[in-house]
Amino acid sequence: MARPSHDYSRIEPMVRSLHSGGAGARIIAKHAGISVGSAHAMIGRLGLVRPVQPRKAVRRPVRRPLPVGMGLSLGGANV
C-alpha cells in the first residue's frame, strides 16, 4: 500500500460514513485502501467504538477430555 493511512483528513469522512452504516473494520479498510489495523486504530481514535452487546445465544458447556484409557474402551479396541 502507498501509505494513504497517513492522510487521515481525507479518509476520516469515509470511515465515519461506512461505520455509521454498520460496516466493520475489514470492509472499511478495503474501501479506504488501508490495513485492517489502521482501520481499527482510526475507529478508536475517532471515538466510534460500539459498545459490546451481550450474547443472545446460550453457549454450549466446555467439553472436557475423557480420562486416560477411556478412549480405548469406547473406541472399540479390545472388542
Side-chain angles (χ1 to χ4, degrees):
M1 291 186 202
R3 296 277 184 199
S5 61
H6 293 297
D7 190 10
Y8 294 122
S9 60
R10 180 181 62 84
I11 298 174
E12 182 180 336
M14 182 187 328
V15 171
R16 285 186 186 276
S17 65
L18 287 171
H19 190 270
S20 67
R26 289 184 183 185
I27 296 172
I28 292 171
K30 185 177 179 181
H31 283 283
I34 58 176
S35 68
V36 177
S38 295
H40 275 291
M42 181 170 270
I43 289 169
R45 191 179 308 112
L46 295 175
L48 302 175
V49 181
R50 294 186 182 115
V52 177
Q53 297 180 359
R55 292 185 182 264
K56 295 177 183 166
V58 178
R59 294 184 62 162
R60 292 177 37 191
V62 177
R63 296 180 65 185
R64 302 281 182 222
L66 293 173
V68 176
M70 193 65 178
L72 295 175
S73 62
L74 292 176
N78 300 328
V79 175

